[in-house]
Amino acid sequence: QVQLVESGGGLVQAGGSLRLSCVASGRSGSIFSINGMGWYRQAPGKQRELVAVIMRGGRTNYADSVKGRFTISRDNAKNTVYLQMNSLKPEDTAVYYCNAVIYDSGGFRTDYWGQGTQVTVSS
């Protein structure tokens, strides 16, 4: 089992920066046991979308809308994944959710989610 706790959201003006943190815990909460972790976001009236992903091997991927502005990283010692958000735009306003994916020996996929943290970018 994995528990995820996000923090770091808040209100910032356009062009500013925020860093989101996601701490994993629980029996399977070690980053070494998690196949992939990512950040999703959901804005009012819009579908939830993938923002950034980091795989267990370190490979990363980003949505086109955030490339060059956001960076996903991890600290294995702290069991934490970060999302550094720079040059924020009002369009980035959303609830951001941390996601962890674990595959068992039979290939069954389980997704775990944090409670979400609000990011609001004012213009």
Side-chain angles (χ1 to χ4, degrees):
Q1 303 299 309
V2 177
Q3 292 81 48
L4 304 173
V5 179
E6 305 105 326
S7 62
L11 175 64
V12 64
Q13 68 179 25
S17 298
L18 287 172
R19 188 177 73 161
L20 306 184
S21 300
C22 175
V23 180
S25 62
R27 186 173 183 85
S28 300
S30 171
I31 288 179
F32 296 112
S33 300
I34 299 173
N35 294 98
M37 296 192 69
W39 290 93
Y40 288 74
R41 67 186 182 187
Q42 187 165 23
K46 295 186 177 181
Q47 190 173 0
R48 184 179 62 185
E49 65 175 346
L50 178 66
V51 177
V53 171
I54 185 165
M55 304 304 295
R56 185 168 58 189
R59 189 176 184 88
T60 60
N61 196 20
Y62 299 89
D64 289 340
S65 60
V66 307
K67 286 181 179 177
R69 300 188 297 120
F70 291 11
T71 302
I72 188 169
S73 62
R74 66 187 179 195
D75 186 332
N76 292 336
K78 296 181 178 180
N79 227 31
T80 301
V81 173
Y82 303 95
L83 184 68
Q84 179 66 47
M85 305 185 294
N86 298 326
S87 302
L88 282 162
K89 305 175 181 179
E91 306 92 271
D92 296 317
T93 295
V95 177
Y96 285 70
Y97 297 92
C98 184
N99 165 257
V101 175
I102 296 179
Y103 291 91
D104 66 13
S105 59
F108 183 81
R109 170 174 171 161
T110 300
D111 280 73
Y112 300 88
W113 297 92
Q115 81 287 347
T117 185
Q118 176 71 48
V119 172
T120 302
V121 184
S122 64
S123 61

